[in-house]
Amino acid sequence: MERMLLKYKSPIGIIYCLFKGSELIEISIGEKPLYIEELPEDTALLKCPFKNELDAYFNGDLKEFNQEIKFITGTDFEHKVWLALKEIPYGETRSYKWLAERVGRPKAARAVGQALKKNPMPIILPCHRVIASDGSIGGFSCGIEIKEWLLRHEGR
C-alpha cells in the first residue's frame, strides 16, 4: 500500500500527516521528516475527512479525533502509553504519574515521559495534555511554545 502525505497549514505551523492507505501513521509538526522528503504532497488528501477534522479542531469545533491510526514504530509499552492519551479529555491535563498508573506501571513516570517523546501522532494522541505532578508544563517534542498554544486553545 502506498504512502501519501498531507501538508496542513495550521496556527502552530505546517503539520505533515503521513498516511498508509486510509490509516494515519505519523504526524510531524514544523519540519517535514527527512525520510519522507521524496514523497510529494498528495492533492487527493486535501479533501480527506482528516483534513476536515483538523480544520474543526483548530476552529474549536472538534474535541476528539476519529481518524483511523496505525503504529508502525514503538514497543508494546509505548503503544499502551500512546493509546492511554486518548483517555485525557479535551481541555484537561493529567500527570506523567497518572499516565504511568493508567498503563499499569505506577513507578514508570520517567519511562512514560520517554515514550511521549516518541509519540508518532501529536495532537491526535494528545501528549500535550500531560504535565508534571507539580503543575509545571513539562516537556513537548514539538516545543514548549506549541504545547502552551494547544493547552490555551483547549481552554486550559
Side-chain angles (χ1 to χ4, degrees):
M1 196 171 296
E2 194 170 318
R3 292 182 182 198
M4 301 169 291
L5 180 66
L6 170 66
K7 182 179 172 184
Y8 181 84
K9 292 178 182 158
S10 81
I12 57 172
I14 301 294
I15 299 175
Y16 295 94
C17 307
L18 187 60
F19 291 84
K20 187 170 185 179
S22 63
E23 297 171 317
L24 180 65
I25 59 173
E26 185 177 344
I27 288 178
S28 179
I29 300 172
E31 294 188 26
K32 189 176 185 180
L34 293 176
Y35 64 89
I36 59 172
E37 280 298 331
E38 73 285 351
L39 195 62
E41 179 180 358
D42 191 323
T43 54
L45 286 174
L46 295 176
K47 296 178 183 164
C48 78
F50 183 59
K51 182 194 175 296
N52 296 335
E53 286 190 35
L54 287 171
D55 288 342
Y57 173 79
F58 285 110
N59 287 330
D61 300 326
L62 181 83
K63 296 186 178 4
E64 189 174 315
F65 290 92
N66 295 310
Q67 172 61 47
E68 186 179 357
I69 63 172
K70 181 177 183 167
F71 297 129
I72 60 168
T73 63
T75 65
D76 288 343
F77 174 74
E78 289 168 339
H79 294 177
K80 285 179 186 176
V81 169
W82 299 336
L83 289 172
L85 292 167
K86 294 176 108 181
E87 298 176 35
I88 306 172
Y90 180 95
E92 296 184 22
T93 58
R94 298 292 185 268
S95 69
Y96 294 94
K97 181 180 184 214
W98 177 90
L99 196 50
E101 290 169 351
R102 203 78 186 146
V103 298
R105 302 269 307 272
K107 296 183 182 195
R110 287 182 189 262
V112 162
Q114 293 302 310
L116 294 182
K117 281 185 186 179
K118 298 176 185 176
N119 178 6
M121 293 173 239
I123 302 175
I124 310 312
L125 301 175
C127 54
H128 61 277
R129 296 179 190 158
V130 180
I131 61 173
S133 294
D134 66 4
S136 62
I137 195 140
F140 190 57
S141 62
C142 303
I144 296 300
E145 307 80 24
I146 291 175
K147 182 173 186 171
E148 290 171 338
W149 190 98
L150 292 168
L151 290 172
R152 278 192 312 275
H153 174 69
E154 293 184 2
R156 166 85 173 42

